[in-house]
Amino acid sequence: MRVDSVMGYHSQRNTVQNRTSRKDLISRSAAAPKLRLITFEGGVKNLNQLASLTPENKGLGLPEAFAGGEGVVGYEFPASLIEHEGVDARSFMPFWEHNNPKGGYKFVLLPEKDYPADMKKMPDFIPAKNFYSANVGETLEDVAKKFNLKLSEVRYVIQSKPIGTGPDAKSKYCLLDAPKITGTVSRPSTQALGELETIPYALLQISKQNPDYNKLKDTPNYFVYTPDLAKASKPYTYDAFGNAPFEAEIINSDEMRALTQIIHKRMNTEEFGYFNPANVIAHDRVSHTYGNHIANMSASGDTDANGLKVHIVAHNTGRNYQGLTDDPFKMIAVVGDASDAAKIKELPDFDILTKAKQFGINNSQALSPREQQIAWSVLAPYLSNFRDGAGTYNILKVGISSAGVNPNNISTGTVSYQFDKEMKSRGTPDAAKFLTDDYASITTKSVLNGATPANLSLGDPNANFGRGENGLSTPEMKKGYTPFTYVKEDELEAFMEKIEKDPKLKAKNQNITTDINEVIAAKEKNARWLSGAIEEAGKKGQDALNKLFFNETQIAEGHNVWGYISQVQDGDILVFGYGRPDEQKGFPITTGGFLEFLKDKNIPTDVKKHVKLITGAGPWDKNAEDYKAMQRDAKEIWELDGGIYKHNYMNIEGFTPNRFVGCVHYCLFTSRREMCGVTPLESKIAGTPYGTTATGGPVDYTNAKNGFLTDEVVEGPPERYGLSYSNTEKEIDQARVNRQKPQVANIFKKFIDQYTNDHEGYVAMSKKNIEELVDWHNNNEYNLGKSANMRYMEDIFEYNKPITDRYMGMLRRVTGKFGEYRECAEEILQTTAKSRPMKLIYGIIGGVAVLSGAYMLYRNAHHSKERKLDKAV
């Protein structure tokens, strides 16, 4: 039953059968678990407060802030805690700016003649010419004087990259209030050994005067400024795909140092609503050093860390995302504090360490073998907790070691139960490559992510498809999209009463229905609308195709479209796969599987012609192996059997709207490794059946009633494919991909067979998906009987326990102690260094040899052939 309006609903309400009464709904709501709103006095932490340290945050409405799934999580989890659990959850994000190489603040100039002080609503865009990048130390007062403006006409701001070029190019932004907290932190210098480097910081709160696309403006949320953070053009000081020089990790670590002061020492005041949280969730690699800095803070005797629970979330444990260096001096700058700099200066071998830092510790031309031995002997025990199975210093190992050293106060984990198993299993050696045994050695705490249906805007006829200023987002084009809002019958009355009170909410939830067939019909219309627009643009040429999906700036950055599909006709199915443009997402498994499906001689050509595929990710690194593989597959698909499938496949190389899940019949996701998988959850929200590779979160929430899985995990051990670790990484990966292709081809067969021959099964699967509870506060089925919110608050942060039950004592430092050199080290080294110089490194501490070499750790900890594979995977 579709309800076209509130008035229409009231005229039909008596026709709804078996509807839960309002009294029952109120009773059920009252019985739901509520968090205890308790504030403790005397400096003890507040159990009902949580600090979320997140690099990305989709709630800002700025494209740089949600390049991946972490941006969705960074916004939705705190928002859900606020709305459904009454938690005072606040986000803390790293400062960043478009084109700000000087590292000062950025200001936006708002002359009163154009932006009057009583302006009720700020515009969505401000011209690029209105933004000013200041020098470090240049204040708002300085800028106002420089441009002859009133203080009220100059604002602190985060500027998004403009759409287009020139002074009038439109730019999204986030207004900030003046810094509420300023200070400095110190750490071991990157320039001079034994000296300190002082980093200034500031805390700026997001202004309530921001445009409507900013969802964070109505609750306290913050940016942390340092001059180096301010130079970054996106929330990560490295790019969203993990690529960066290691210096970025030092900058990120500085932010974490500042946050230990800001959150736990400087916000427990009336101005900040006495924010003194007992709970901190630290998202992604950027925040993995937080536990180390809290431990340093506590070990120094600072009791402000007492009773704190810190949970470090590993959103991606793939090797490309781990944050690596072979330079111990850079790692000291990441994990060390002022006391370490002082200790280094007092070491008897300080001169040799200085020489090692200047020329490189493994530089055999600058340092003698004995000097290298001495340097390693001193540094290896101090940094031993941070070396992975390849002997590399690893940022993720900082989070692992922090949880291992202080398990009562610090924990780490990932975002699904299945992937928790995979990253600990030798049966999936690349899930957390060179960290497998490290994760297995500690107690991890993992929670399956949620997904908030409203954030997909499937019922909003005015929401954009893409970043805006593109063809699909024009008012005329959006008229062709059929919005839909599905509500279960027993929830309809409460939902209608809710939107009746909120005109904005009502406008974003059009075509309300309790009938899954109406949802399927709307998506069929949308599939024809989208594919029709694509075909029309494709016939006009490449320029029209690019403009359909992307704005001017995106096109200039390399976003483009390969090929185009023809319009969906009766009997056709449209399949959609999207994600980040990197190796984790396994796009060649999708394209290779589709190619195998089309090559299958046992399937009639007329059946295969009914299957159309859109993939979307990018823009890619043009040298990436996956990019080249996709291009090869695309060319072969388009030329196969004389070109009869030329318009059955296309690729959108650039940001691809997740709202397309409401315009297709099926979705397909073929990650090599997948921690949770926000994209399949978004398919569920649209009632769109899907297929996925059998890894991570999708294994937790996919079954025969809601989707299709491949037969096995992608990244098994080489022996599974008749190979060994003597083969190259490329050979092993290709064998894994080839093994998956027929499994994915079989999923395409199941898609078309179900849609063509089992319509009732397709309707049932669509209904099962759209009715599954995936929201953060209501996804108990996949979270061991509790919602994600409650799993975090009760099982990890232990909100339901008294504060006195927490460990309140001093934390232990995660770093070790500096070692000392003994002459017997030279004799040991001589026996090992002849054939593999400096690959086997022994530090001698009190006469005990400590192995820290890459080769032996790799062999013994991960790939010894005598060890059996974990049967659980």
Side-chain angles (χ1 to χ4, degrees):
M1 179 192 78
R2 185 169 72 192
V3 183
D4 295 307
S5 68
V6 174
M7 290 301 294
Y9 161 70
H10 285 302
S11 68
Q12 301 176 61
R13 61 188 303 176
N14 292 329
T15 67
V16 181
Q17 301 299 315
N18 301 318
R19 185 177 65 249
T20 303
S21 71
R22 183 181 182 191
K23 182 179 180 181
D24 290 336
L25 286 169
I26 293 173
S27 175
R28 182 181 301 171
S29 176
K34 293 292 183 184
L35 296 180
R36 297 170 18 215
L37 308 181
I38 302 173
T39 301
F40 293 86
E41 298 179 354
V44 181
K45 304 301 177 189
N46 189 327
L47 286 177
N48 193 51
Q49 292 176 337
L50 177 139
S52 175
L53 319 184
T54 175
E56 292 190 341
N57 196 315
K58 187 177 180 179
L60 291 168
L62 306 180
E64 294 90 343
F66 59 104
E70 199 281 314
V72 177
V73 174
Y75 166 56
E76 291 188 352
F77 177 48
S80 183
L81 290 178
I82 292 169
E83 179 179 359
H84 299 287
E85 322 300 349
V87 175
D88 180 1
R90 308 188 190 186
S91 293
F92 296 80
M93 296 158 284
F95 201 91
W96 56 273
E97 295 286 3
H98 162 66
N99 191 24
N100 194 45
K102 293 180 285 188
Y105 293 114
K106 180 159 280 193
F107 297 95
V108 62
L109 313 179
L110 303 172
E112 282 190 0
K113 63 183 181 64
D114 300 316
Y115 305 91
D118 59 350
M119 178 179 278
K120 294 183 179 179
K121 182 179 181 299
M122 288 296 293
D124 288 350
F125 299 92
I126 291 176
K129 63 187 177 186
N130 287 50
F131 294 90
Y132 172 71
S133 294
N135 295 304
V136 174
E138 196 170 4
T139 66
L140 183 144
E141 289 78 9
D142 296 333
V143 175
K145 184 177 180 180
K146 182 174 185 176
F147 291 96
N148 195 28
L149 294 170
K150 299 176 184 177
L151 293 180
S152 60
E153 296 176 303
V154 181
R155 299 291 300 274
Y156 292 86
V157 73
I158 299 288
Q159 183 193 6
S160 181
K161 187 171 185 176
I163 299 172
T165 58
D168 293 317
K170 299 177 180 179
S171 189
K172 282 189 168 185
Y173 59 96
C174 174
L175 292 178
L176 305 173
D177 293 332
K180 291 180 176 290
I181 293 175
T182 59
T184 62
V185 289
S186 298
R187 58 155 165 79
S189 171
T190 58
Q191 304 300 317
L193 192 66
E195 300 298 330
L196 288 177
E197 192 167 334
T198 299
I199 296 91
Y201 69 78
L203 184 74
L204 298 93
Q205 184 168 324
I206 294 173
S207 170
K208 294 182 180 297
Q209 293 176 277
N210 274 287
D212 289 341
Y213 55 70
N214 191 315
K215 308 301 181 186
L216 304 182
K217 63 180 181 176
D218 294 326
T219 54
N221 294 286
Y222 310 92
F223 280 94
V224 178
Y225 166 87
T226 72
D228 283 329
L229 284 173
K231 296 174 184 177
S233 61
K234 56 189 70 175
Y236 295 89
T237 49
Y238 50 89
D239 68 33
F241 316 113
N243 305 306
F246 193 78
E247 283 71 17
E249 312 302 341
I250 301 172
I251 296 168
N252 294 331
S253 187
D254 289 341
E255 181 203 357
M256 295 302 113
R257 282 188 181 88
L259 279 168
T260 60
Q261 285 192 14
I262 291 168
I263 295 173
H264 306 298
K265 299 184 73 65
R266 306 195 60 184
M267 297 185 73
N268 190 18
T269 65
E270 183 177 3
E271 180 183 14
F272 290 100
Y274 298 101
F275 189 67
N276 192 19
N279 317 301
V280 176
I281 186 165
H283 289 287
D284 222 349
R285 174 171 123 202
V286 170
S287 306
H288 263 61
T289 60
Y290 194 80
N292 175 80
H293 297 315
I294 280 292
N296 284 348
M297 176 179 168
S298 177
S300 70
D302 193 328
T303 59
D304 285 321
N306 286 5
L308 189 65
K309 290 279 187 179
V310 175
H311 183 65
I312 301 168
V313 184
H315 285 272
N316 197 321
T317 55
R319 188 63 172 171
N320 291 344
Y321 288 80
Q322 291 174 9
L324 311 172
T325 185
D326 292 320
D327 187 336
F329 298 102
K330 290 182 179 179
M331 197 66 190
I332 289 172
V334 168
V335 298
D337 63 9
S339 68
D340 296 317
K343 289 174 186 174
I344 289 174
K345 210 166 187 177
E346 296 170 358
L347 293 170
D349 299 305
F350 176 72
D351 290 343
I352 293 175
L353 292 174
T354 300
K355 188 176 178 181
K357 175 173 173 52
Q358 181 180 356
F359 296 105
I361 195 168
N362 290 332
N363 189 332
S364 58
Q365 293 181 333
L367 277 74
S368 70
R370 183 175 181 276
E371 288 174 326
Q372 292 179 62
Q373 295 168 35
I374 291 171
W376 279 115
S377 297
V378 173
L379 298 179
Y382 172 77
L383 295 173
S384 60
N385 273 339
F386 311 119
R387 298 194 82 159
D388 60 26
T392 313
Y393 299 116
N394 193 320
I395 293 297
L396 265 60
K397 189 72 187 290
V398 182
I400 294 169
S401 296
S402 297
V405 170
N406 294 295
N408 292 322
N409 299 84
I410 301 170
S411 58
T412 189
T414 187
V415 285
S416 74
Y417 305 107
Q418 175 63 23
F419 197 78
D420 188 288
K421 297 175 185 176
E422 290 177 27
M423 68 186 191
K424 298 176 180 179
S425 169
R426 297 190 191 100
T428 46
D430 287 355
K433 194 170 185 178
F434 300 125
L435 294 174
T436 304
D437 287 0
D438 294 309
Y439 276 115
S441 70
I442 65 170
T443 300
T444 52
K445 298 181 179 181
S446 296
V447 178
L448 187 69
N449 278 341
T452 303
N455 291 334
L456 266 177
S457 302
L458 295 171
D460 185 355
N462 298 310
N464 285 337
F465 285 88
R467 301 294 198 198
E469 303 294 310
N470 59 321
L472 286 173
S473 297
T474 62
E476 189 61 32
M477 185 65 75
K478 283 189 286 192
K479 289 178 181 178
Y481 171 75
T482 302
F484 59 91
T485 304
Y486 182 84
V487 182
K488 294 169 68 174
E489 284 196 1
D490 61 355
E491 298 172 357
L492 181 62
E493 182 174 355
F495 181 80
M496 298 306 298
E497 290 179 353
K498 181 179 180 180
I499 68 169
E500 189 173 12
K501 298 175 182 177
D502 188 342
K504 289 184 179 179
L505 193 61
K506 178 184 175 183
K508 294 179 180 180
N509 287 277
Q510 298 296 297
N511 293 345
I512 301 168
T513 181
T514 60
D515 186 348
I516 187 60
N517 288 291
E518 291 187 358
V519 170
I520 292 172
K523 289 196 294 179
E524 176 69 26
K525 291 179 182 177
N526 290 337
R528 296 185 185 228
W529 162 76
L530 177 61
S531 59
I534 291 171
E535 182 177 28
E536 182 179 349
K539 289 178 178 178
K540 292 178 181 177
Q542 188 65 48
D543 187 54
L545 266 176
N546 290 346
K547 289 181 177 179
L548 184 67
F549 293 97
F550 306 121
N551 60 45
E552 180 183 337
T553 294
Q554 290 175 302
I555 293 170
E557 292 174 341
H559 297 235
N560 69 100
V561 182
W562 312 351
Y564 66 91
I565 59 169
S566 57
Q567 186 171 30
V568 166
Q569 304 297 325
D570 290 347
D572 289 350
I573 62 169
L574 184 55
V575 182
F576 176 47
Y578 63 108
R580 290 192 312 277
D582 67 8
E583 55 84 31
Q584 181 208 334
K585 296 303 179 183
F587 281 99
I589 300 174
T590 294
T591 56
F594 189 48
L595 181 58
E596 288 217 11
F597 167 74
L598 296 177
K599 285 182 173 180
D600 192 332
K601 301 299 183 183
N602 296 315
I603 304 174
T605 299
D606 285 346
V607 172
K608 291 186 287 191
K609 287 174 68 176
H610 279 298
V611 182
K612 301 179 189 296
L613 171 65
I614 298 175
T615 54
W620 283 84
D621 171 1
K622 301 304 185 286
N623 293 316
E625 291 297 327
D626 279 12
Y627 179 79
K628 295 174 183 177
M630 290 177 68
Q631 285 190 315
R632 289 193 298 269
D633 290 340
K635 186 174 185 295
E636 192 168 353
I637 289 168
W638 295 332
E639 294 176 356
L640 187 65
D641 295 341
I644 61 174
Y645 305 113
K646 184 172 180 61
H647 298 305
N648 284 64
Y649 172 63
M650 67 176 290
N651 180 61
I652 304 168
E653 190 190 342
F655 179 80
T656 307
N658 57 2
R659 291 185 77 216
F660 285 172
V661 296
C663 303
V664 298
H665 303 91
Y666 292 93
C667 286
L668 181 64
F669 310 102
T670 58
S671 295
R672 287 179 170 90
R673 74 203 75 88
E674 185 57 72
M675 295 77 215
C676 176
V678 171
T679 48
L681 294 176
E682 291 174 339
S683 299
K684 288 180 180 296
I685 290 167
T688 302
Y690 60 93
T692 121
T693 42
T695 173
V699 177
D700 289 330
Y701 54 69
T702 304
N703 52 58
K705 294 183 179 180
N706 60 19
F708 305 92
L709 286 167
T710 56
D711 300 328
E712 60 187 11
V713 70
V714 179
E715 293 186 323
E719 293 83 358
R720 183 176 293 176
Y721 317 102
L723 303 174
S724 71
Y725 281 102
S726 62
N727 290 93
T728 65
E729 288 188 3
K730 186 174 180 180
E731 289 171 337
I732 294 170
D733 179 67
Q734 191 59 58
R736 290 167 169 168
V737 171
N738 289 342
R739 176 95 160 218
Q740 287 288 315
K741 287 178 182 178
Q743 298 178 46
V744 171
N746 191 45
I747 288 180
F748 278 106
K749 294 177 191 177
K750 290 178 179 179
F751 284 168
I752 189 64
D753 182 63
Q754 181 189 59
Y755 192 79
T756 304
N757 302 317
D758 183 17
H759 183 69
E760 288 186 3
Y762 178 75
V763 172
M765 189 173 280
S766 299
K767 183 178 176 67
K768 177 70 170 69
N769 276 298
I770 206 167
E771 291 191 348
E772 284 179 347
L773 304 176
V774 299
D775 212 331
W776 291 86
H777 73 289
N778 202 5
N779 60 347
N780 302 32
E781 181 178 350
Y782 308 117
N783 271 302
L784 309 182
K786 289 184 180 180
S787 69
N789 285 357
M790 287 300 166
R791 286 276 290 115
Y792 275 113
M793 295 307 295
E794 293 185 353
D795 298 351
I796 292 178
F797 295 123
E798 298 183 344
Y799 175 92
N800 53 334
K801 294 182 180 180
I803 193 78
T804 51
D805 283 1
R806 295 187 174 209
Y807 177 73
M808 303 293 288
M810 181 183 295
L811 276 66
R812 296 191 297 166
R813 283 174 60 97
V814 186
T815 52
K817 295 182 178 180
F818 292 105
E820 65 177 285
Y821 174 72
R822 300 288 178 85
E823 288 299 330
C824 59
E826 186 171 358
E827 180 181 344
I828 294 173
L829 191 67
Q830 286 175 351
T831 66
T832 61
K834 292 179 181 178
S835 62
R836 191 176 288 109
M838 297 313 295
K839 285 189 178 179
L840 299 178
I841 303 160
Y842 288 82
I844 306 303
I845 311 168
V848 180
V850 179
L851 179 65
S852 59
Y855 173 77
M856 289 301 292
L857 279 172
Y858 172 94
R859 176 177 174 81
N860 292 341
H862 293 273
H863 304 306
S864 175
K865 292 183 179 179
E866 290 76 23
R867 290 177 174 175
K868 294 182 180 180
L869 300 178
D870 188 338
K871 295 181 180 180
V873 179

